Amino acid sequence: MPTIVLTRPLGASERFADQLRVSGVNLPIAISPVLEIVPTGFTLPERFSGAIFTSTNGVAAVQGHDLPAWCVGDRTTREARLKGWRAFSADGDVEALLRLILQDAPKGPLVHFRGVHSTGDLAQRLTSKGIETSEVVVYRQEQALLNVEAKQLLMGKHPVILPLFSPKSAVTIAEQGPFHAPVTVVAISAAVADVARSIASKGLLISRAPDAKAMVAAINHVADAACFVEDGANTA
């Protein structure tokens, strides 16, 4: 029976494990965060009329305001609303978020509250389209070693399902290999898959969409296939 190894920051891994359980996944789950979220010191701009959030980490790092906030997905939107923002969800990725903001055409200035590593060049692209946007780095991700349980699983003989949500986490894990276990990587995007190919000794599946719901569906697919093979071997 495969074990699922989750390597997102602790809170995110615990929430995702709950989603997997609710969806019907009954495989063992091990949690070993390889990235830790650390707030940075930052200064808010003196004047801004709205915010942009591309992660819940950005929301958590900033005091809430009664202002519009454009968010990449539904969970980020929920977190922003809980902090007092009037939040809107792009229900997708950074490109969907860009399209939503351009469609809504706010006057600005907007602020993108982001981590040290960010993709999409949102502030620059929005400013070039006439929506004044700046960016403020409010958190950073620090690498962490796999814990003993995860390292033993990845160095063992039994199959491992490894969901990966960012290129940075994929790189962090790959640097701690090579691993001997048959590993199936479930990647949230093609960009993550490109980095994770050296880890995926058994297989690699890219999520149909860059969100938790699609990742849960992909993991269910891999888990069902693994259990079918195992049942077939046991009954042969």
Side-chain angles (χ1 to χ4, degrees):
M1 175 181 293
T3 298
I4 299 170
V5 176
L6 301 179
T7 61
R8 303 178 81 185
L10 182 59
S13 284
E14 290 175 339
R15 290 191 296 269
F16 191 69
D18 289 341
Q19 289 178 273
L20 289 173
R21 294 297 185 214
V22 169
S23 76
V25 172
N26 59 4
L27 298 178
I29 297 175
I31 294 177
S32 176
V34 297
L35 297 175
E36 297 178 355
I37 304 302
V38 180
T40 62
F42 64 93
T43 302
L44 284 174
E46 293 183 2
R47 182 178 65 91
F48 65 100
S49 60
I52 301 170
F53 293 110
T54 44
S55 74
T56 56
N57 298 318
V59 175
V62 181
Q63 181 180 352
H65 290 72
D66 183 21
L67 291 172
W70 287 265
C71 303
V72 70
D74 291 343
R75 178 164 185 81
T76 305
T77 303
R78 288 195 297 270
E79 295 295 324
R81 287 173 180 167
L82 287 173
K83 293 195 75 170
W85 300 94
R86 288 182 269 123
F88 311 99
S89 175
D91 191 25
D93 56 11
V94 171
E95 296 304 313
L97 180 57
L98 176 69
R99 290 193 295 271
L100 176 63
I101 298 170
L102 291 175
Q103 173 184 305
D104 291 348
K107 293 184 178 180
L110 306 181
V111 181
H112 179 197
F113 295 105
R114 43 158 284 198
V116 171
H117 301 284
S118 182
T119 60
D121 296 323
L122 277 174
Q124 179 180 345
R125 293 167 72 186
L126 287 168
T127 299
S128 71
K129 296 290 187 179
I131 301 174
E132 180 187 349
T133 306
S134 61
E135 53 187 8
V136 176
V137 174
V138 296
Y139 70 91
R140 66 180 184 273
Q141 295 176 325
E142 293 187 352
Q143 293 179 318
L145 295 175
L146 291 161
N147 63 27
V148 173
E149 181 186 15
K151 195 67 180 283
Q152 288 177 341
L153 288 165
L154 288 165
M155 295 301 291
K157 296 180 180 180
H158 298 290
V160 171
I161 299 173
L162 183 64
L164 293 175
F165 291 79
S166 74
K168 187 174 179 64
S169 60
V171 169
T172 301
I173 295 168
E175 288 175 346
Q176 298 179 54
F179 306 113
H180 303 315
V183 178
T184 300
V185 169
V186 179
I188 197 168
S189 68
V192 175
D194 287 343
V195 181
R197 292 188 190 281
S198 65
I199 310 171
S201 57
K202 185 178 181 182
L204 175 64
L205 179 66
I206 301 174
S207 173
R208 289 184 178 273
D211 56 38
K213 182 179 179 180
M215 285 290 283
V216 167
I219 293 166
N220 267 284
H221 176 77
V222 173
D224 288 346
C227 291
F228 175 80
V229 169
E230 184 172 272
D231 289 344
N234 289 338
T235 56

